[in-house]
């Protein structure tokens, strides 16, 4: 990425932290969650690598086709997984966006650098920006707690995850594993959506 270095480093930190948490989610006891977390970890670390300021590191020319191949394979996997779970369609759009940005860099006259404004296809970039902006707004709205009548909303929103982890027959509160907290998984996807918007704005 070009421009001031500190926004790029913030984006690197955001995407790397998201990828690290997704690795933690891969320890979940739910197979489908492990599969989704693997793809999201790849996205997080891939975005972090692409966001490193060009003044610090400029990848060699062969790196961009390699990126495109890796995320192209991830996109094919998302297509197959979407047959059983439509949620993977979002993964398909995300990996497709990574392929698009990688190919744009590979075909750019300055391919050894990161993205310059105006290097992408405006129609494709605009469509992806529209999608991810809408996704960020919708995901952010879903993370906002909704108060239920009678003041029970705070209790319901604050104990939903704990209730699912309460041990049957003991009445005690079981600790919910960090990798199984749905609100954190949604927050990670929101973070990656914000990162994707930031990266597409540089195209």
């Amino acid at each position: 990425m070009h421009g001031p270095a500190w926004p790029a480093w913030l984006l690197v930190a955001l995407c790397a932290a998201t990828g690290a948490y997704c690795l933690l989610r891969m320890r979940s006891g739910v197979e489908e969650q492990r599969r989704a977390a693997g793809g999201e970890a790849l996205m997080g670390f891939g975005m972090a690598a692409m966001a490193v300021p060009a003044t610090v590191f400029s990848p060699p020319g062969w790196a961009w086709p390699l990126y495109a191949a890796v995320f192209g394979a991830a996109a094919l996997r998302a297509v197959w997984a979407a047959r059983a779970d439509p949620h993977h369609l979002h993964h398909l759009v995300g990996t497709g966006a990574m392929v698009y940005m990688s190919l744009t860099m590979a075909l750019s006259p300055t391919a050894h650098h990161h993205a310059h404004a105006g290097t992408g296809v405006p129609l494709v970039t605009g469509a992806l920006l529209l999608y991810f902006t809408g996704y960020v707004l919708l995901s952010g709205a879903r993370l906002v707690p909704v108060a239920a009548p009678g003041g029970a909303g705070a209790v319901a929103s604050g104990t939903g995850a704990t209730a699912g982890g309460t041990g049957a027959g003991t009445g005690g509160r079981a600790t919910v594993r960090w990798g199984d907290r749905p609100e954190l998984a949604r927050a990670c996807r929101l973070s990656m959506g914000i990162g994707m918007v930031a990266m597409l704005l540089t195209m």
Side-chain angles (χ1 to χ4, degrees), residues 98-169:
M98 294 294 284
V99 171
Y100 164 67
M101 290 189 289
S102 300
L103 290 177
T104 299
M105 292 302 97
L107 298 175
S108 171
T110 54
H112 59 286
H113 291 295
H114 289 264
H116 285 279
T119 56
V121 180
L123 184 61
V124 177
T125 303
L128 290 172
L129 271 173
L130 183 63
Y131 172 82
F132 283 105
T133 300
Y135 180 82
V136 165
L137 294 175
L138 182 60
S139 299
R142 287 177 175 174
L143 284 173
V144 177
V146 179
V155 176
S157 62
T159 59
T162 304
T166 303

Side-chain angles (χ1 to χ4, degrees), residues 46-96:
M47 291 169 63
M50 292 182 74
V52 174
T55 55
V56 175
F57 174 70
S58 293
W62 54 262
W64 299 117
L66 179 62
Y67 263 61
V70 170
F71 286 102
L76 291 176
R77 180 177 179 273
V79 169
W80 182 260
R83 296 166 62 251
D85 184 2
H87 168 73
H88 288 280
L89 290 174
H90 174 67
H91 294 167
L92 174 61
V93 177
T95 52

Side-chain angles (χ1 to χ4, degrees), residues 134-197:
Y135 180 82
V136 165
L137 294 175
L138 182 60
S139 299
R142 287 177 175 174
L143 284 173
V144 177
V146 179
V155 176
S157 62
T159 59
T162 304
T166 303
T170 63
R173 296 175 64 184
T175 301
V176 180
R177 297 176 60 178
W178 284 99
D180 291 326
R181 296 178 69 99
E183 70 278 14
L184 291 181
R186 287 193 292 269
C188 279
R189 296 181 187 120
L190 172 62
S191 298
M192 283 195 288
I194 294 172
M196 190 65 74
V197 170

